[in-house]
Amino acid sequence: SAVISQKPSRDICQRGTSLTIQCQVDSQVTMMFWYRQQPGQSLTLIATANQGSEATYESGFVIDKFPISRPNLTFSTLTVSNMSPEDSSIYLCSVEGPIRSTDTQYFGPGTRLTVL
Amino acid sequence: SQQGEEDPQALSIQEGENATMNCSYKTSINNLQWYRQNSGRGLVHLILIRSNEREKHSGRLRVTLDTSKKSSSLLITASRAADTASYFCATDSQGGKLIFGQGTELSVKP
């Protein structure tokens, strides 16, 4: 299985600011995804991070609010822009792969964000 | 919108007992995956079952899938206090995009 790390592990931010979360995988993977888990709730897919092209967003999520980069097959970032308290959540990246492996999906440890 | 419904929402058992969690979904799937989450931390992958499979085992875990009923179950046998966690099912019906159920909160008392 792939080893996934996220930075930061947690942060407390002020309303109106932005935070960029990094996701690093120890091997090349085909698919990378970003999920949000609001307090006490299940996970919701934000977007698919596409290597070398714009991310594909799910209904209810837009690029201006959650810009995503994926410059290569092992790294992606998610930015939470112009934050409000409603953005307080755990943000998790996940990967499917490594390449030519199964379609099992593995998750990073998550970034716990609190917006004041 | 969530595809999966899980029941029960919460389950409390004694150590040594078996725990069964159920998951139902709405559309056809490629596979269904079960995860464990301890206290809001990252998700640990437990098992993947494909749409053409009916049952899989991994250690103390047994997963079944009934595509005609669009349902799956996770059985944990001989539970331990360390199994206390939230358990989620997630369905993959579109190129890796997982849709999660609401989860079952399992408490195993020593």
Side-chain angles (χ1 to χ4, degrees), chain A residues 35 37 42 58 90 103 105, chain B residues 35 37 40 50 96-98 101:
Chain A
Y35 290 81
Q37 185 177 28
S42 187
E58 297 302 304
I90 300 173
D103 46 10
Q105 201 164 126
Chain B
Y35 292 88
Q37 185 179 41
R50 301 187 192 286
K97 296 181 181 181
L98 294 183

Side-chain angles (χ1 to χ4, degrees), chain B:
Chain B
S1 62
Q2 297 292 339
Q3 152 121 285
E5 301 274 341
E6 290 187 58
D7 76 272
Q9 290 188 341
L11 179 61
S12 182
I13 59 175
Q14 294 294 131
E15 222 170 15
E17 295 180 339
N18 295 341
T20 299
M21 288 158 269
N22 301 297
C23 169
S24 61
Y25 56 92
K26 297 175 183 172
T27 65
S28 60
I29 61 173
N30 297 321
N31 63 65
L32 185 147
Q33 305 185 45
W34 284 91
Y35 292 88
R36 184 184 75 227
Q37 185 179 41
N38 291 82
S39 301
R41 300 169 68 94
L43 271 70
V44 174
H45 185 268
L46 297 177
I47 201 163
L48 178 153
I49 187 164
R50 301 187 192 286
S51 60
N52 61 352
E53 297 175 314
R54 291 298 167 258
E55 188 172 312
K56 284 189 84 168
H57 297 255
S58 177
R60 294 184 295 114
L61 305 180
R62 173 178 167 254
V63 167
T64 62
L65 178 65
D66 187 335
T67 52
S68 67
K69 295 181 180 178
K70 291 186 169 60
S71 67
S72 176
S73 67
L74 170 67
L75 168 67
I76 304 174
T77 60
S79 63
R80 306 166 181 167
D83 295 328
T84 295
S86 294
Y87 291 81
F88 294 92
C89 68
T91 53
D92 178 358
S93 54
Q94 187 183 352
K97 296 181 181 181
L98 294 183
I99 299 177
F100 280 79
Q102 291 301 317
T104 294
E105 202 169 314
L106 174 65
S107 174
V108 181
K109 300 186 188 310

Side-chain angles (χ1 to χ4, degrees), chain A residues 19 36 40 57 62 65 87 91 95 101 116:
Chain A
L19 176 72
R36 179 177 74 181
Y57 291 84
V62 295
K65 176 67 175 176
D87 294 320
Y91 292 86
V95 305
S101 181
L116 303 177

Side-chain angles (χ1 to χ4, degrees), chain A:
Chain A
S1 65
V3 176
I4 307 164
S5 61
Q6 283 186 236
K7 290 183 186 179
S9 59
R10 59 177 59 223
D11 208 342
I12 300 173
C13 300
Q14 295 298 319
R15 181 195 299 260
T17 62
S18 298
L19 176 72
T20 296
I21 302 167
Q22 299 179 3
C23 178
Q24 179 74 55
V25 192
D26 69 341
S27 57
Q28 293 184 338
V29 294
T30 50
M31 308 289 287
M32 294 183 79
F33 304 91
W34 287 97
Y35 290 81
R36 179 177 74 181
Q37 185 177 28
Q38 294 177 300
Q41 299 199 24
S42 187
L43 282 77
T44 301
L45 178 64
I46 297 171
T48 303
N50 301 309
Q51 194 265 326
S53 64
E54 195 170 285
T56 305
Y57 291 84
E58 297 302 304
S59 176
F61 297 97
V62 295
I63 187 171
D64 289 346
K65 176 67 175 176
F66 297 103
I68 288 171
S69 77
R70 190 176 172 194
N72 56 51
L73 293 175
T74 64
F75 185 79
S76 178
T77 67
L78 167 74
T79 299
V80 186
S81 302
N82 188 25
M83 289 184 283
S84 67
E86 292 70 37
D87 294 320
S88 297
S89 296
I90 300 173
Y91 292 86
L92 302 103
C93 69
S94 71
V95 305
E96 188 178 282
I99 291 174
R100 294 186 295 279
S101 181
T102 69
D103 46 10
T104 298
Q105 201 164 126
Y106 298 97
F107 282 79
T111 296
R112 185 181 291 271
L113 171 63
T114 302
V115 184
L116 303 177

